[in-house]
Amino acid sequence: MTDFKILDCTLRDGSYVNRFQFSIHETKYICAELEKCGLEHIEVGHGLGLGAYKLGGEYSAAASDEEYLTAASDALKKSHFGTFCIPGIATIEDIDIANQYGMRLIRIGTNVDAVESSKPYVERAKKYGMTVCANYMKSYSVPPREFAKKVKISESYGVDVIYLVDSAGGMLPSEVESYITAIKEASGIKIGFHGHNNLGLAVANSLKAIEMGAYFVDCSLQGLGRSGGNAPTEQFVLITSKLGHKNNIDIFRLLDLSFDTILDRK
């Protein structure tokens, strides 16, 4: 079976639902519990990524980047934690700060037509040995072959993973297949998929992504996330297990965490 990894983004994308108000206590607790459930990759912080808490107003967060990074670092013993990073909201120096807290995974998000703005951020993160994902927001706004040309640009910067991102939750599995086929024809780079659930297809699209060889798939507890939400972690784990994919995730503990901790957030 295809070897893939789940990146649980409950504490990042899910923060849109509670207006960026995950507390330090909640961050520590959910990080620790996700690790105990067997999740190896966990994303934390403000929904808009590094530096966004400084925007204030409607974007005011319950804690600073440093506080969220400290919480994740203190809570996790084996799992890797990461943050989102949008050039222009985040500064290069925000990556320097994240490195001080032992962060080893970063996702640098640009609209698919603005990939070039990511270069200095990618280079700084690679300097620290981080795994760098290029998150192509609104991926569907360019056709697959044009998308694949952008992939080659990011690959030249040193990116480790290219993310196909269904920002509006409107893609069909056949479209996911077309984009991933184009990526694979252009490059051997690892592929990630971030699907939103506006059409109720986040899980189906995520399944198509791993069928096509995706390495990372984003999920969140109860599907907590922006707009229509994400692929629910617990559903994705159960379905992939039924399909024969092996994992070390404790599904019963995950279900307890999902329903006891997250349900009242929706």
Side-chain angles (χ1 to χ4, degrees):
M1 288 295 183
T2 304
D3 180 26
F4 67 91
K5 304 292 183 183
I6 293 173
L7 174 60
D8 189 282
C9 57
T10 305
L11 287 164
R12 198 278 303 174
D13 207 346
S15 74
Y16 282 101
V17 178
N18 65 14
R19 298 176 185 268
F20 318 114
Q21 296 305 302
F22 277 118
S23 69
I24 294 304
H25 171 75
E26 288 172 318
T27 299
K28 284 184 178 180
Y29 175 74
I30 294 171
C31 277
E33 284 299 310
L34 286 171
E35 181 177 72
K36 290 172 185 175
C37 290
L39 276 299
E40 299 175 350
H41 303 278
I42 300 164
E43 192 171 56
V44 302
H46 197 289
L48 284 166
L50 292 172
Y53 78 97
K54 301 173 188 174
L55 296 173
E58 63 181 307
Y59 301 110
S60 294
S64 67
D65 290 342
E66 291 88 343
E67 289 172 315
Y68 283 130
L69 290 164
T70 298
S73 180
D74 288 347
L76 298 173
K77 309 305 178 187
K78 298 181 295 181
S79 298
H80 300 288
F81 67 93
T83 62
F84 205 63
C85 172
I86 299 177
I89 294 177
T91 66
I92 296 292
E93 290 71 28
D94 288 323
I95 298 176
D96 298 333
I97 293 169
N99 178 66
Q100 294 173 15
Y101 292 89
M103 192 179 82
R104 300 268 63 86
L105 173 68
I106 190 167
R107 294 202 298 162
I108 299 174
T110 67
N111 287 337
V112 68
D113 59 356
V115 169
E116 289 80 5
S117 66
S118 70
K119 182 178 181 181
Y121 292 79
V122 173
E123 291 175 344
R124 184 62 60 93
K126 292 303 296 182
K127 170 187 171 183
Y128 293 123
M130 295 180 187
T131 296
V132 180
C133 305
N135 226 66
Y136 285 6
M137 299 183 291
K138 304 176 185 175
S139 293
Y140 43 75
S141 62
V142 299
R145 291 193 181 280
E146 186 65 29
F147 185 99
K149 292 178 182 178
K150 300 292 185 180
V151 170
K152 297 300 292 183
I153 295 172
S154 288
E155 190 173 26
S156 73
Y157 299 160
V159 162
D160 300 291
V161 182
I162 294 291
Y163 257 87
L164 176 65
V165 183
D166 185 12
S167 303
M171 294 181 76
L172 302 174
S174 59
E175 293 174 297
V176 173
E177 181 174 358
S178 294
Y179 278 86
I180 294 181
T181 296
I183 297 169
K184 292 171 73 174
E185 287 176 351
S187 171
I189 197 167
K190 290 180 178 178
I191 300 167
F193 179 71
H194 181 95
H196 280 266
N197 206 32
N198 301 57
L199 295 182
L201 291 172
V203 171
N205 285 335
S206 298
L207 292 172
K208 175 56 70 173
I210 62 169
E211 178 187 317
M212 296 296 297
Y215 180 75
F216 269 129
V217 172
D218 289 7
C219 300
S220 61
L221 297 174
Q222 291 284 323
L224 202 70
R226 191 176 192 177
S227 187
N230 305 309
T233 306
E234 58 278 18
Q235 288 183 12
F236 188 69
V237 170
L238 281 166
I239 294 170
T240 52
S241 294
K242 289 193 71 173
L243 290 172
H245 294 278
K246 305 299 182 183
N247 62 64
N248 295 314
I249 297 174
D250 184 338
I251 186 59
F252 296 105
R253 186 164 192 152
L254 184 68
L255 287 169
D256 285 341
L257 174 64
S258 173
F259 284 91
D260 293 345
T261 307
I262 301 300
L263 195 57
D264 61 355
R265 285 289 190 182
K266 301 186 75 176

mmCIF file of all heavy atoms in Angstrom, residues 194-216:
data_model
loop_
_atom_site.group_PDB
_atom_site.id
_atom_site.type_symbol
_atom_site.label_atom_id
_atom_site.label_comp_id
_atom_site.label_asym_id
_atom_site.label_seq_id
_atom_site.Cartn_x
_atom_site.Cartn_y
_atom_site.Cartn_z
ATOM 1 N N HIS A 194 -4.396 19.171 0.383
ATOM 2 C CA HIS A 194 -5.205 19.848 1.406
ATOM 3 C C HIS A 194 -6.572 20.110 0.794
ATOM 4 O O HIS A 194 -6.716 20.964 -0.087
ATOM 5 C CB HIS A 194 -4.541 21.163 1.823
ATOM 6 C CG HIS A 194 -5.298 21.913 2.879
ATOM 7 N ND1 HIS A 194 -4.999 21.788 4.221
ATOM 8 C CD2 HIS A 194 -6.327 22.783 2.803
ATOM 9 C CE1 HIS A 194 -5.813 22.574 4.929
ATOM 10 N NE2 HIS A 194 -6.641 23.180 4.075
ATOM 11 N N GLY A 195 -7.572 19.359 1.255
ATOM 12 C CA GLY A 195 -8.902 19.482 0.678
ATOM 13 C C GLY A 195 -9.903 20.092 1.637
ATOM 14 O O GLY A 195 -9.910 19.760 2.823
ATOM 15 N N HIS A 196 -10.740 20.964 1.123
ATOM 16 C CA HIS A 196 -11.857 21.491 1.912
ATOM 17 C C HIS A 196 -13.148 20.779 1.508
ATOM 18 O O HIS A 196 -13.229 20.169 0.439
ATOM 19 C CB HIS A 196 -11.956 23.008 1.762
ATOM 20 C CG HIS A 196 -10.975 23.725 2.634
ATOM 21 N ND1 HIS A 196 -11.285 24.191 3.889
ATOM 22 C CD2 HIS A 196 -9.661 24.019 2.445
ATOM 23 C CE1 HIS A 196 -10.230 24.758 4.434
ATOM 24 N NE2 HIS A 196 -9.220 24.660 3.573
ATOM 25 N N ASN A 197 -14.134 20.873 2.371
ATOM 26 C CA ASN A 197 -15.279 19.972 2.299
ATOM 27 C C ASN A 197 -16.572 20.651 1.854
ATOM 28 O O ASN A 197 -17.661 20.168 2.161
ATOM 29 C CB ASN A 197 -15.490 19.310 3.669
ATOM 30 C CG ASN A 197 -16.184 17.968 3.563
ATOM 31 O OD1 ASN A 197 -16.003 17.247 2.585
ATOM 32 N ND2 ASN A 197 -16.972 17.629 4.564
ATOM 33 N N ASN A 198 -16.484 21.726 1.110
ATOM 34 C CA ASN A 198 -17.682 22.473 0.725
ATOM 35 C C ASN A 198 -18.666 21.643 -0.078
ATOM 36 O O ASN A 198 -19.874 21.852 0.027
ATOM 37 C CB ASN A 198 -17.287 23.725 -0.061
ATOM 38 C CG ASN A 198 -16.376 24.645 0.735
ATOM 39 O OD1 ASN A 198 -15.317 24.228 1.188
ATOM 40 N ND2 ASN A 198 -16.775 25.896 0.904
ATOM 41 N N LEU A 199 -18.181 20.698 -0.878
ATOM 42 C CA LEU A 199 -19.061 19.805 -1.634
ATOM 43 C C LEU A 199 -19.180 18.427 -0.981
ATOM 44 O O LEU A 199 -19.750 17.514 -1.576
ATOM 45 C CB LEU A 199 -18.541 19.635 -3.069
ATOM 46 C CG LEU A 199 -18.552 20.881 -3.959
ATOM 47 C CD1 LEU A 199 -18.056 20.529 -5.357
ATOM 48 C CD2 LEU A 199 -19.951 21.479 -4.034
ATOM 49 N N GLY A 200 -18.637 18.296 0.232
ATOM 50 C CA GLY A 200 -18.674 16.998 0.905
ATOM 51 C C GLY A 200 -17.721 15.988 0.318
ATOM 52 O O GLY A 200 -17.880 14.775 0.520
ATOM 53 N N LEU A 201 -16.681 16.463 -0.398
ATOM 54 C CA LEU A 201 -15.774 15.563 -1.110
ATOM 55 C C LEU A 201 -14.345 15.575 -0.564
ATOM 56 O O LEU A 201 -13.441 15.033 -1.201
ATOM 57 C CB LEU A 201 -15.750 15.926 -2.602
ATOM 58 C CG LEU A 201 -17.033 15.628 -3.374
ATOM 59 C CD1 LEU A 201 -16.950 16.199 -4.784
ATOM 60 C CD2 LEU A 201 -17.302 14.130 -3.423
ATOM 61 N N ALA A 202 -14.133 16.182 0.600
ATOM 62 C CA ALA A 202 -12.765 16.269 1.119
ATOM 63 C C ALA A 202 -12.155 14.886 1.337
ATOM 64 O O ALA A 202 -10.987 14.650 1.017
ATOM 65 C CB ALA A 202 -12.741 17.077 2.413
ATOM 66 N N VAL A 203 -12.934 13.955 1.892
ATOM 67 C CA VAL A 203 -12.407 12.606 2.109
ATOM 68 C C VAL A 203 -12.200 11.894 0.779
ATOM 69 O O VAL A 203 -11.146 11.280 0.544
ATOM 70 C CB VAL A 203 -13.342 11.792 3.026
ATOM 71 C CG1 VAL A 203 -12.902 10.329 3.074
ATOM 72 C CG2 VAL A 203 -13.331 12.363 4.443
ATOM 73 N N ALA A 204 -13.180 11.971 -0.111
ATOM 74 C CA ALA A 204 -13.046 11.316 -1.419
ATOM 75 C C ALA A 204 -11.848 11.857 -2.184
ATOM 76 O O ALA A 204 -11.083 11.095 -2.803
ATOM 77 C CB ALA A 204 -14.325 11.523 -2.236
ATOM 78 N N ASN A 205 -11.661 13.165 -2.148
ATOM 79 C CA ASN A 205 -10.518 13.759 -2.844
ATOM 80 C C ASN A 205 -9.199 13.352 -2.186
ATOM 81 O O ASN A 205 -8.195 13.136 -2.878
ATOM 82 C CB ASN A 205 -10.651 15.278 -2.859
ATOM 83 C CG ASN A 205 -11.694 15.758 -3.850
ATOM 84 O OD1 ASN A 205 -11.998 15.080 -4.826
ATOM 85 N ND2 ASN A 205 -12.269 16.934 -3.600
ATOM 86 N N SER A 206 -9.195 13.250 -0.868
ATOM 87 C CA SER A 206 -7.987 12.822 -0.156
ATOM 88 C C SER A 206 -7.656 11.366 -0.486
ATOM 89 O O SER A 206 -6.485 10.998 -0.635
ATOM 90 C CB SER A 206 -8.170 13.002 1.352
ATOM 91 O OG SER A 206 -8.367 14.361 1.680
ATOM 92 N N LEU A 207 -8.686 10.539 -0.590
ATOM 93 C CA LEU A 207 -8.473 9.141 -0.973
ATOM 94 C C LEU A 207 -7.909 9.043 -2.390
ATOM 95 O O LEU A 207 -7.021 8.235 -2.666
ATOM 96 C CB LEU A 207 -9.779 8.354 -0.870
ATOM 97 C CG LEU A 207 -10.320 8.141 0.546
ATOM 98 C CD1 LEU A 207 -11.709 7.521 0.484
ATOM 99 C CD2 LEU A 207 -9.380 7.265 1.367
ATOM 100 N N LYS A 208 -8.432 9.868 -3.292
ATOM 101 C CA LYS A 208 -7.891 9.891 -4.660
ATOM 102 C C LYS A 208 -6.428 10.329 -4.641
ATOM 103 O O LYS A 208 -5.602 9.784 -5.381
ATOM 104 C CB LYS A 208 -8.725 10.826 -5.543
ATOM 105 C CG LYS A 208 -8.188 11.016 -6.953
ATOM 106 C CD LYS A 208 -8.026 9.699 -7.703
ATOM 107 C CE LYS A 208 -9.351 9.072 -8.062
ATOM 108 N NZ LYS A 208 -9.173 7.873 -8.937
ATOM 109 N N ALA A 209 -6.114 11.305 -3.781
ATOM 110 C CA ALA A 209 -4.734 11.793 -3.702
ATOM 111 C C ALA A 209 -3.772 10.685 -3.287
ATOM 112 O O ALA A 209 -2.712 10.525 -3.894
ATOM 113 C CB ALA A 209 -4.653 12.972 -2.728
ATOM 114 N N ILE A 210 -4.144 9.901 -2.271
ATOM 115 C CA ILE A 210 -3.215 8.832 -1.849
ATOM 116 C C ILE A 210 -3.191 7.703 -2.874
ATOM 117 O O ILE A 210 -2.157 7.047 -3.061
ATOM 118 C CB ILE A 210 -3.507 8.307 -0.432
ATOM 119 C CG1 ILE A 210 -4.894 7.678 -0.333
ATOM 120 C CG2 ILE A 210 -3.317 9.398 0.593
ATOM 121 C CD1 ILE A 210 -5.110 6.916 0.983
ATOM 122 N N GLU A 211 -4.314 7.479 -3.545
ATOM 123 C CA GLU A 211 -4.330 6.493 -4.630
ATOM 124 C C GLU A 211 -3.334 6.887 -5.712
ATOM 125 O O GLU A 211 -2.685 6.028 -6.331
ATOM 126 C CB GLU A 211 -5.733 6.403 -5.224
ATOM 127 C CG GLU A 211 -5.871 5.441 -6.395
ATOM 128 C CD GLU A 211 -7.243 5.535 -7.035
ATOM 129 O OE1 GLU A 211 -8.248 5.608 -6.296
ATOM 130 O OE2 GLU A 211 -7.322 5.551 -8.284
ATOM 131 N N MET A 212 -3.182 8.205 -5.911
ATOM 132 C CA MET A 212 -2.271 8.725 -6.932
ATOM 133 C C MET A 212 -0.849 8.881 -6.406
ATOM 134 O O MET A 212 0.021 9.355 -7.125
ATOM 135 C CB MET A 212 -2.784 10.069 -7.446
ATOM 136 C CG MET A 212 -4.130 10.006 -8.155
ATOM 137 S SD MET A 212 -4.050 9.009 -9.657
ATOM 138 C CE MET A 212 -2.894 9.965 -10.627
ATOM 139 N N GLY A 213 -0.631 8.533 -5.144
ATOM 140 C CA GLY A 213 0.731 8.553 -4.612
ATOM 141 C C GLY A 213 1.077 9.717 -3.715
ATOM 142 O O GLY A 213 2.260 9.941 -3.420
ATOM 143 N N ALA A 214 0.081 10.476 -3.239
ATOM 144 C CA ALA A 214 0.374 11.597 -2.341
ATOM 145 C C ALA A 214 1.044 11.108 -1.067
ATOM 146 O O ALA A 214 0.706 10.043 -0.535
ATOM 147 C CB ALA A 214 -0.901 12.358 -2.000
ATOM 148 N N TYR A 215 1.969 11.900 -0.571
ATOM 149 C CA TYR A 215 2.723 11.553 0.634
ATOM 150 C C TYR A 215 2.084 12.149 1.886
ATOM 151 O O TYR A 215 2.014 11.503 2.927
ATOM 152 C CB TYR A 215 4.158 12.063 0.495
ATOM 153 C CG TYR A 215 5.030 11.761 1.704
ATOM 154 C CD1 TYR A 215 5.497 10.468 1.925
ATOM 155 C CD2 TYR A 215 5.385 12.757 2.606
ATOM 156 C CE1 TYR A 215 6.298 10.176 3.024
ATOM 157 C CE2 TYR A 215 6.182 12.480 3.709
ATOM 158 C CZ TYR A 215 6.638 11.189 3.913
ATOM 159 O OH TYR A 215 7.412 10.911 4.998
ATOM 160 N N PHE A 216 1.641 13.405 1.806
ATOM 161 C CA PHE A 216 0.977 14.079 2.923
ATOM 162 C C PHE A 216 -0.487 14.314 2.577
ATOM 163 O O PHE A 216 -0.818 14.726 1.461
ATOM 164 C CB PHE A 216 1.607 15.450 3.212
ATOM 165 C CG PHE A 216 2.722 15.436 4.211
ATOM 166 C CD1 PHE A 216 3.939 16.034 3.904
ATOM 167 C CD2 PHE A 216 2.561 14.883 5.468
ATOM 168 C CE1 PHE A 216 4.977 16.063 4.818
ATOM 169 C CE2 PHE A 216 3.593 14.899 6.397
ATOM 170 C CZ PHE A 216 4.804 15.485 6.076
#
